[in-house]
Amino acid sequence: MHLEKFAWAVSILEGARRLADDKSNRIPLFLLIGFSVENALKAHLEKKGEPPGKWERSHDLADLYDKASATGLAPIEGVETF
């Protein structure tokens, strides 16, 4: 299941990249980026065997990031600030 979720995250990110060239689509662009990040974090949590809970339906990126970091996610420098 985590591979499907990660693949979905990549697909959403590709959609965001296509929108990035159109300056009138900033809100959809950032929504797609957020959805992509959310799905990638959830894919990481699933892969690490995080027990099911509220995080599965959460859209709180900061909380998902904290949970993923606690299970070994090691993002590149500056991601927390972004």
Side-chain angles (χ1 to χ4, degrees):
M1 180 72 172
H2 68 277
L3 290 176
E4 291 172 6
K5 194 172 295 300
F6 187 71
W8 181 244
V10 171
S11 296
I12 294 170
L13 183 58
E14 286 302 315
R17 284 187 179 138
R18 285 192 298 275
L19 284 173
D21 292 333
D22 184 350
K23 305 300 183 214
S24 67
N25 283 323
R26 288 300 171 210
I27 291 174
L29 169 68
F30 290 111
L31 280 172
L32 288 175
I33 291 171
F35 291 146
S36 179
V37 170
E38 177 185 333
N39 279 279
L41 292 169
K42 288 178 178 180
H44 173 83
L45 291 169
E46 286 180 4
K47 179 175 171 55
K48 293 297 183 174
E50 186 69 18
K54 291 181 182 180
W55 65 266
E56 292 176 304
R57 290 173 296 287
S58 173
H59 304 292
D60 183 343
L61 297 181
D63 184 56
L64 290 168
Y65 176 82
D66 289 343
K67 284 184 178 11
S69 294
T71 62
L73 179 71
I76 59 173
E77 187 176 329
V79 167
E80 299 90 347
T81 304
F82 175 74

